[in-house]
Amino acid sequence: MIQIDKNLCKKCNICVELCPKEVFAADEMGMPQVRYEDACTRCLTCELHCPEYALEIEKVEKKKKNG
């Protein structure tokens, strides 16, 4: 899950520009929003480069198979 804190976001759109899978797009007011969450690979590029720490990417842990 990708969360954008709209109170912290300053609409710099670094996340939109840096995302290798084009997960984000700016709305008509310039606020980034998640458009294609299923395309997200959890590379964390957006989260690591957000100057306002307005993004949080939920890490998905893989379950080990028994046997």
Side-chain angles (χ1 to χ4, degrees):
M1 180 174 203
I2 304 168
Q3 295 182 358
I4 301 172
D5 186 329
K6 296 182 189 240
N7 294 317
L8 294 176
C9 181
K10 302 294 188 224
K11 303 179 191 176
C12 69
N13 286 303
I14 289 173
C15 55
V16 176
E17 297 298 321
L18 291 181
C19 181
K21 298 295 182 179
E22 299 180 357
V23 171
F24 302 96
D27 67 12
E28 60 277 351
M29 300 297 290
M31 178 66 70
Q33 55 184 324
V34 179
R35 288 273 171 94
Y36 305 107
E37 188 165 357
D38 291 341
C40 181
T41 62
R42 308 296 189 257
C43 70
L44 303 180
T45 299
C46 58
E47 186 176 311
L48 295 171
H49 288 88
C50 179
E52 302 299 328
Y53 305 101
L55 283 165
E56 185 175 343
I57 308 299
E58 182 179 318
K59 285 88 176 160
V60 177
E61 294 193 26
K62 295 180 181 179
K63 294 181 181 180
K64 292 184 179 181
K65 292 183 181 180
N66 292 332

